[in-house]
């Protein structure tokens, strides 16, 4: 994928205008029980519903990560406010459970499915059922692969997430001017999550130049996606791998200058490992999602930055897409070239992420109402 890399830091003055680029709403919480290339046109929408009518199934992967709780809660609140009946389910990161939940949503009369998949390649059979019954499918923040039942994709610009992380490291280390070398280690997400490849690819498209020049050195030698992927994005998996990396490469006092982490759960694992095993100067650590734990670490100087993807923003745009489908119209999109799921290009709406650090987190996270000050104490 060819993209022009974004350069430099985002000015704090830009952050609030970017924050509202796709809309906003406040979160609310309801928990449901968990059961054990050419441009392609959007899939045919179901018959038009009366305004504010119809059932929507929302399938989220897990409640174990803060961000999915927020996504589900925001989606449910906004869909219900628009007059739709919502079936929200979390699948405990278990693929058969998610498949069963989606089957139940279809059989109970959902007209639209909004699905954040656990594994983008594992839903083909159940989505064939959706297609046969005229149920539209919106892939939510994780592209569902190899299924022509997918109507639309709603997400943040995932390649841009990675480029912002790579650019942050580049700028903090002043790689265009400093002689180096600087030591860096790399952590990305679950290999079954298509987004992880976009995050990692965006970051490495910035950093590979400096690795090739010798200004950045990956002492562990672990640079390829498969070597740096983290199963289930799990904090404990990232921590275990970082323990091994420190033991083999940094236990003798060698300085670690930066760790590129694709999200906050991996960053938290890296931080836990560093606190237990590393005695050198603290490295730059990137992240994504602005989880409360990571924002507190950022304030304490343990994590350098986190990409902020306002879940209210993405939920609001997804609700617009659902509403259009229910009324027999085409959903709003702004990208019809980038995301090929193996059956063709999926029309997508990409919201723009921003990064938060110690200099702007109050404006982005507290002044916007995303968090209260007390939550970050």
């Amino acid at each position: 994928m060819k993209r022009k890399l974004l350069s430099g830091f985002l000015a704090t003055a830009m952050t609030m205008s970017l924050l509202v680029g796709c809309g906003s709403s406040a979160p609310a919480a309801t928990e449901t029980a968990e059961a054990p290339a050419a441009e392609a046109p959007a899939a045919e929408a179901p018959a038009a519903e009366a305004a504010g009518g119809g059932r929507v199934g929302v399938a989220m992967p897990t409640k174990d990560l803060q961000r999915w709780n927020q996504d589900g809660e925001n989606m449910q609140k906004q869909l219900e406010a628009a007059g739709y009946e919502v079936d929200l389910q979390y699948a405990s990161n278990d693929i058969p459970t998610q498949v069963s939940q989606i089957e139940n949503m279809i059989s109970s009369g959902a007209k639209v499915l909004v699905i954040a998949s656990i594994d983008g390649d594992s839903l083909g059979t159940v989505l064939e059922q959706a297609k046969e019954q005229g149920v539209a499918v919106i892939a939510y923040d994780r592209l569902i692969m190899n299924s022509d039942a997918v109507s639309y994709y709603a997400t943040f610009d995932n390649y841009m997430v990675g480029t912002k992380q790579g650019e942050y490291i580049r700028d903090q280390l002043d790689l265009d001017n400093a002689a180096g070398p600087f030591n860096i280690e790399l952590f990305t997400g679950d290999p079954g999550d298509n987004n992880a490849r976009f995050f990692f690819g965006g970051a490495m498209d910035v950093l590979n130049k400096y690795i090739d020049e010798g200004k950045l050195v990956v002492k562990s030698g672990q640079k390829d996606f498969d070597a740096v992927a983290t199963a289930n994005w799990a904090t404990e998996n990232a921590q275990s791998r970082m323990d091994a990396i420190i033991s083999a490469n940094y236990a003798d006092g060698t300085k670690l200058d930066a760790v590129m982490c694709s999200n906050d759960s991996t960053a938290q694992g890296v931080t836990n490992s560093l606190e237990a095993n590393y005695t050198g100067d603290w490295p730059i650590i990137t992240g994504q999602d602005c989880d409360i734990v990571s924002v507190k670490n950022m304030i304490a100087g343990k994590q350098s930055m986190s990409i902020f993807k306002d879940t209210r923003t993405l939920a609001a745009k997804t609700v617009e897409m659902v509403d259009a489908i229910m009324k027999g119209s085409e959903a709003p999109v702004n990208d019809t070239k980038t995301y090929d799921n193996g059956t063709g290009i999926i029309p997508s709406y990409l919201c723009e992420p921003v990064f938060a650090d110690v200099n702007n987190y109050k404006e982005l996270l507290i002044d916007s109402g995303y968090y209260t000050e007390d939550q970050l104490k």
Side-chain angles (χ1 to χ4, degrees):
M1 175 176 58
K2 303 295 184 181
R3 292 232 187 154
K4 183 179 179 181
L5 293 178
L6 302 174
S7 60
F9 278 80
L10 286 175
T12 300
M14 293 173 59
T15 57
M16 293 309 293
S17 62
L18 292 174
L19 176 63
V20 297
C22 305
S24 67
S25 177
T30 301
E31 181 173 347
T32 60
E34 297 181 0
E39 293 182 8
E44 184 177 350
E49 294 279 338
R55 185 176 178 87
V56 180
V58 179
M60 291 283 139
T62 180
K63 294 179 75 72
D64 292 341
L65 295 182
Q66 176 189 318
R67 72 143 300 181
W68 295 119
N69 293 309
Q70 291 172 320
D71 280 273
E73 291 163 1
N74 289 330
M75 187 84 59
Q76 181 170 31
K77 178 178 180 180
Q78 294 189 42
L79 284 168
E80 288 178 346
Y84 296 107
E85 182 183 356
V86 180
D87 182 4
L88 170 62
Q89 298 288 333
Y90 295 85
S92 299
N93 263 337
D94 182 70
I95 294 169
T97 296
Q98 187 166 62
V99 170
S100 176
Q101 289 172 344
I102 294 170
E103 286 175 339
N104 290 336
M105 290 173 186
I106 296 169
S107 64
S108 65
K111 301 297 183 183
V112 179
L113 299 174
V114 178
I115 302 172
S117 61
I118 296 168
D119 184 323
D121 277 307
S122 301
L123 299 178
T125 301
V126 69
L127 293 189
E128 276 301 309
Q129 298 177 30
K131 182 180 177 182
E132 289 170 2
Q133 297 190 35
V135 179
V137 176
I138 299 174
Y140 183 86
D141 207 43
R142 290 178 172 178
L143 185 59
I144 298 169
M145 303 301 292
N146 301 311
S147 172
D148 62 2
V150 180
S151 312
Y152 296 100
Y153 183 32
T155 189
F156 284 85
D157 189 326
N158 296 313
Y159 182 83
M160 187 186 293
V161 168
T163 63
K164 287 182 184 296
Q165 293 169 335
E167 288 164 4
Y168 189 93
I169 291 171
R170 176 197 67 194
D171 294 343
Q172 289 295 301
L173 294 178
D174 194 21
L175 293 177
D176 287 330
N177 299 300
F182 301 99
N183 293 322
I184 188 171
E185 298 297 337
L186 309 169
F187 286 74
T188 193
D190 189 89
D193 181 352
N194 189 60
N195 286 354
R197 297 183 184 275
F198 280 94
F199 301 145
F200 186 68
M204 297 310 291
D205 279 353
V206 176
L207 299 176
N208 271 328
K209 168 188 173 183
Y210 305 103
I211 293 173
D212 292 343
E213 291 174 354
K215 283 191 178 182
L216 286 177
V217 177
V218 183
K219 284 188 65 64
S220 69
Q222 298 170 13
K223 296 183 284 187
D224 296 334
F225 178 88
D226 290 340
V228 305
T230 305
N232 296 321
W233 296 91
T235 295
E236 58 270 24
N237 292 339
Q239 182 172 343
S240 176
R241 180 169 161 254
M242 191 68 197
D243 287 347
I245 289 173
I246 293 173
S247 176
N249 300 280
Y250 300 96
D252 61 356
T254 298
K255 183 180 179 183
L256 175 61
D257 297 285
V259 187
M260 195 292 294
C261 296
S262 287
N263 85 327
D264 284 348
S265 59
T266 54
Q268 289 160 23
V270 167
T271 298
N272 294 343
S273 179
L274 289 169
E275 288 182 317
N277 303 295
Y278 178 70
T279 59
D281 293 338
W282 203 260
I284 297 163
I285 301 176
T286 64
Q288 175 187 184
D289 294 328
C290 285
D291 288 351
I292 288 175
V293 171
S294 281
V295 177
K296 288 181 177 180
N297 283 344
M298 197 159 58
I299 295 168
K302 297 178 184 179
Q303 184 171 323
S304 306
M305 62 87 84
S306 183
I307 299 294
F308 180 43
K309 295 161 60 175
D310 192 334
T311 56
R312 299 167 299 183
T313 294
L314 188 56
K317 182 52 61 177
T318 306
V319 170
E320 285 184 40
M321 299 173 85
V322 169
D323 198 49
I325 294 168
M326 285 290 203
K327 294 172 181 175
S329 303
E330 290 188 1
V333 298
N334 61 6
D335 184 288
T336 56
K337 296 180 180 180
T338 303
Y339 290 95
D340 189 333
N341 80 339
T343 65
I345 299 295
I346 305 301
S348 306
Y349 197 98
L350 309 183
C351 294
E352 185 170 348
V354 297
F355 78 78
D357 65 8
V358 72
N359 298 309
N360 69 358
Y361 79 91
K362 288 184 178 179
E363 184 179 6
L364 277 177
L365 304 177
I366 297 175
D367 294 350
S368 72
Y370 196 77
Y371 293 136
T372 65
E373 208 157 0
D374 286 342
Q375 287 177 289
L376 302 180
K377 288 182 179 178

